[in-house]
Amino acid sequence: MSRLLQILVGAAAIVVIIAAAFYFWVEYEGYRGSNRVATGDGLVIDGSDKNLSVDDARVLLIDVRRDFFDPDSARFAGLNYTVKNGQPDRARICGHVNGKNRLGGYIGYQPFFYEVAEHSVVMLPSELRDSDEAAQAFLALVEALGCPRP
């Protein structure tokens, strides 16, 4: 009986290790490396993703949607790719994104810009959206990067 118990514990340990490896692959490699988010699937409503490379568009859509309450509801418009001072490592993508809140309603298009090399998304914090000065200044910045309002 003791030998059977050892075999069962060993088998259970192997299953746990395989499950953990699969989980981390899905969360990291599978999430970033797959084509789960493809351009042309209705996420960009105005076709403005056509001026982006497929890789930039895919990573942008994944990174911007990551912090949304309902990531599958996110819709993008007015995307524009800019390079600062001719340096590709200083590339930015700006645009507007709309998504659903906790009540299931769309919040309206919000401006954002995305630092490609750093994979960082900059959006107007929700606390400042009611501040006309802060909202207008951020909107002016996004428009200066070449992304007009949708």
Side-chain angles (χ1 to χ4, degrees):
M1 186 70 170
S2 172
R3 179 72 179 143
L4 179 62
L5 186 59
Q6 288 176 341
I7 292 172
L8 288 175
V9 169
I14 291 172
V15 168
V16 168
I17 291 170
I18 291 172
F22 180 74
Y23 171 79
F24 286 113
W25 177 81
V26 168
E27 286 299 310
Y28 183 72
E29 290 298 328
Y31 185 65
R32 286 200 177 270
S34 73
N35 287 325
R36 281 179 39 187
V37 176
T39 59
D41 60 2
L43 295 176
V44 181
I45 63 166
D46 61 357
S48 58
D49 57 331
K50 300 295 183 242
N51 64 352
L52 306 176
S53 72
V54 173
D55 288 339
D56 283 343
R58 183 177 48 79
V59 173
L60 164 78
L61 296 176
I62 289 170
D63 286 345
V64 172
R65 294 169 59 203
R66 179 179 302 132
D67 294 329
F68 273 58
F69 173 73
D70 180 1
D72 293 333
S73 72
R75 297 296 177 260
F76 295 81
L79 298 178
N80 189 34
Y81 181 89
T82 59
V83 177
K84 187 174 181 181
N85 299 331
Q87 300 172 347
D89 61 332
R90 303 288 310 267
R92 291 185 179 141
I93 301 171
C94 60
H96 294 80
V97 62
N98 192 6
K100 289 183 180 179
N101 61 19
R102 294 186 191 284
L103 300 175
Y106 278 93
I107 60 172
Y109 280 92
Q110 302 297 321
F112 74 90
F113 67 90
Y114 176 71
E115 299 284 348
V116 176
E118 290 87 20
H119 295 276
S120 67
V121 179
V122 180
M123 295 182 76
L124 184 65
S126 58
E127 305 84 47
L128 298 179
R129 287 191 185 132
D130 294 331
S131 165
D132 283 339
E133 277 185 37
Q136 292 305 319
F138 190 79
L139 192 55
L141 171 64
V142 171
E143 287 177 348
L145 291 171
C147 292
R149 299 175 197 210

